[in-house]
Amino acid sequence: MGKFALITGAAKRIGAAISHYLAAEGWSVLIHYNSSDKEALALAAQLKTAYPSQEFPTIQCNLANTDEVLKMFKKSVLQGVEITALINNASIFTPGSIADITPDFLAQQMGVNFEAPLFLMQAFKNHTEHGSIINMLDTNVVKNMETHAAYLLAKKNLEALTQMAALAWAPHIRINGVAPGPVLPPPGQDQKHLEKVIDNTPLKRQVDTKDIAQTVSFLLNNPSITGQIIFCDSGIHLK
Ligand SMILES: NC(=O)c1ccc[n+]([C@@H]2O[C@H](COP(=O)([O-])OP(=O)(O)OC[C@H]3O[C@@H](n4cnc5c(N)ncnc54)[C@H](OP(=O)(O)O)[C@@H]3O)[C@@H](O)[C@H]2O)c1
């Protein structure tokens, strides 16, 4: 069986970088997107031209809706896609303190950042005998950044789930996490937004999207690692 990765939020930014990196290593990629249809189709076409013997189908789904998440997985299986790796990369990063959290806001942040990864993991486990899951976390999972409280609570839950499931689902499924530091400014914000954060990192380095993709690849390729969280963050988790 070939290597086939489902990457959520794959159309742009870090997701697209992971898609390029894995494609160059011989993976076929199921490119998930929500609103970035043009970018997803362009990425699929670009990868198919570069790697004609691999497959790069696209699939649309709003991950805020659990029913849609499960339908998406079923649809991809029905299309004959044999997924062997799941990269939970899609995310929504909305500011708001603990005091700002409303039920709807919490449902949205938890839905995309925690529940969708959880139900995709479950569907993946039921679908495959052997496989690997990578959850994209955040260096702040070891901190208490209250500016994005609901987002961070969801990522902290996803970190805990990564380790709980790694133990529960061994030896068949390996589950690891990547915790990025400053890679790209949040969508819609400029580079200035990141400069202070980068300057505060021990390595004084903006994390390259390729560094993240390489870490994902390392975890996918190392059969002895499960339940590991790698901080690819220029050392900022140390402070
Ligand atoms: N950027 C950083 O410096 C940084 C730092 C720490 C952690 N991370 C983590 O690394 C991962 C990738 O980061 P990123 O900055 O590249 O992410 P991003 O651009 O903020 O989001 C990635 C994709 O998530 C998808 N998405 C958002 N809401 C969705 C929904 N309701 N349903 C389905 N898809 C949805 C979007 O897809 P569409 O465009 O198709 O709508 C978006 O392109 C994330 O998990 C993030 O938390 C990033």
Side-chain angles (χ1 to χ4, degrees), residues 75-95:
K75 196 170 152 196
S76 57
V77 172
L78 287 177
Q79 282 171 349
V81 176
E82 275 294 316
I83 301 161
T84 56
L86 165 66
I87 319 294
N88 280 313
N89 169 76
S91 159
I92 182 164
F93 180 66
T94 315

Side-chain angles (χ1 to χ4, degrees), residues 102-125:
T102 62
D104 284 352
F105 180 61
L106 186 65
Q108 179 210 39
Q109 296 293 309
M110 289 298 277
V112 177
N113 294 320
F114 176 65
E115 289 175 33
L118 185 158
F119 289 114
L120 280 175
M121 286 169 66
Q122 219 180 49
F124 177 77
K125 186 203 175 255

